[in-house]
């Protein structure tokens, strides 16, 4: 089964060796960048792995590999511009700490989650992947749950996010979809040149920029 990444209404734009795709999965739009000649490859990758593209939401502000969502591999003759086989997607384990950090720091600010918290009132609220949302009041599939946050008197307690290790970034229903507010926070975080770097590297980056 193939994952449809682009619809017939998609736009493809050439940009400095990258291709950007404006797409809509369900009711949520993504701007996805595909680097067909990635300089950063998966860990332990082999020359014959046939990596077709690296996927990301924003052009990396540095050579930091944590900006990359993952890699598509397979037959170069396949229609990789419009389809991705979930079995031919390599998750970047250095990317997901960024997603979890954003959820940890900003889940309580998200308007959609705030409305769900007011409805549920107490307990733990699942943050469900927007690619396949369950009916209101129902629990989604484990592969479609980012994690949970603790509720207190109809509000989300800040910094209580607990990740769900069963979540999958790509399934037959599409690429993962955060709520709109949190997706914006993720793109903002990934745009910082120092994200994912050590404190020592952050200081070095800052000094280099100030000298410029």
């Amino acid at each position: 089964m193939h994952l449809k990444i682009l619809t017939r209404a998609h736009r493809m734009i050439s940009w400095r060796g990258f291709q950007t795709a404006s797409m809509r999965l369900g009711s949520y739009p993504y701007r996805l960048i595909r680097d067909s000649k990635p300089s950063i490859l998966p860990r332990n990758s082999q020359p014959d792995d046939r990596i077709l593209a690296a996927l990301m939401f924003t052009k990396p502000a540095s050579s930091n590999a944590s900006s990359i969502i993952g890699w598509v591999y397979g037959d170069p003759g396949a229609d990789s511009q419009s389809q991705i086989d979930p079995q031919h997607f390599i998750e970047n384990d250095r990317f997901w700490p960024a997603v979890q950090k954003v959820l940890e720091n900003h889940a309580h600010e998200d308007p959609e989650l705030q409305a769900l918290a007011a409805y549920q009132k107490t307990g733990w609220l699942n943050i469900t992947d927007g690619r396949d949302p369950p009916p209101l009041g129902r629990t989604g599939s484990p592969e479609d749950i980012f994690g949970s946050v603790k509720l207190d008197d109809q509000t989300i307690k800040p910094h209580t996010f607990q990740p769900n290790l069963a979540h999958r970034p790509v399934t037959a229903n599409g690429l993962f979809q955060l709520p709109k507010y949190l997706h914006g926070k993720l793109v903002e975080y990934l745009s910082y040149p120092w994200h994912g770097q050590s404190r020592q590297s952050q200081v070095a980056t800052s000094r280099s920029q100030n000298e410029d």
Side-chain angles (χ1 to χ4, degrees):
M1 183 178 294
H2 288 89
L3 163 66
K4 294 288 185 181
I5 286 293
L6 306 178
T7 68
R8 283 176 293 183
H10 74 274
R11 296 184 296 114
M12 297 299 297
I13 306 171
S14 177
W15 179 65
R16 293 187 181 180
F18 292 85
Q19 288 183 317
T20 66
S22 296
M23 66 181 183
R24 182 174 296 275
L25 294 174
S27 60
Y28 185 50
Y30 277 108
R31 178 176 178 271
L32 184 67
I33 297 175
R34 302 172 61 94
D35 182 359
S36 59
K37 296 181 179 180
S39 59
I40 301 173
L41 299 176
R43 300 184 191 189
N44 302 318
S45 62
Q46 303 298 320
D48 59 351
D49 282 346
R50 290 192 275 185
I51 302 297
L52 301 181
L55 304 181
M56 58 200 83
F57 292 129
T58 181
K59 182 185 176 184
S62 70
S63 60
N64 196 319
S66 58
S67 297
I68 299 171
I69 304 167
W71 295 266
V72 180
Y73 71 97
D75 182 359
D79 184 12
S80 60
Q81 295 300 328
S82 60
Q83 297 180 347
I84 296 177
D85 186 333
Q87 295 181 349
H88 290 169
F89 177 81
I90 302 173
E91 175 184 347
N92 182 14
D93 58 0
R94 288 169 284 189
F95 172 82
W96 287 97
V99 177
Q100 294 174 2
K101 187 176 184 68
V102 167
L103 289 168
E104 171 72 16
N105 291 338
H106 299 288
H108 63 286
E109 304 167 352
D110 185 271
E112 296 178 42
L113 297 181
Q114 290 172 350
L116 291 173
Y119 174 83
Q120 184 173 311
K121 299 181 181 180
T122 188
W124 286 84
L125 174 69
N126 288 334
I127 302 178
T128 304
D129 200 312
R131 66 189 168 203
D132 189 26
L136 186 63
R138 302 289 294 273
T139 301
S141 170
E143 67 183 13
D144 291 324
I145 297 175
F146 291 107
S148 304
V149 287
K150 188 173 179 58
L151 304 184
D152 183 17
D153 192 23
Q154 299 182 317
T155 61
I156 299 171
K157 294 188 68 174
H159 310 296
T160 58
F161 173 72
Q162 297 294 315
N164 169 33
L165 300 181
H167 177 267
R168 295 177 59 198
V170 173
T171 70
N173 290 313
L175 186 67
F176 77 95
Q177 298 177 45
L178 287 167
K180 185 176 181 180
Y181 176 83
L182 292 175
H183 179 77
K185 287 295 182 182
L186 176 61
V187 172
E188 179 182 304
Y189 177 75
L190 295 173
S191 299
Y192 289 138
W194 55 81
H195 93 269
Q197 296 180 1
S198 66
R199 177 59 182 167
Q200 183 178 4
S201 297
Q202 292 175 18
V203 172
T205 300
S206 178
R207 287 176 178 172
S208 176
Q209 290 177 338
N210 290 335
E211 290 173 357
D212 294 341

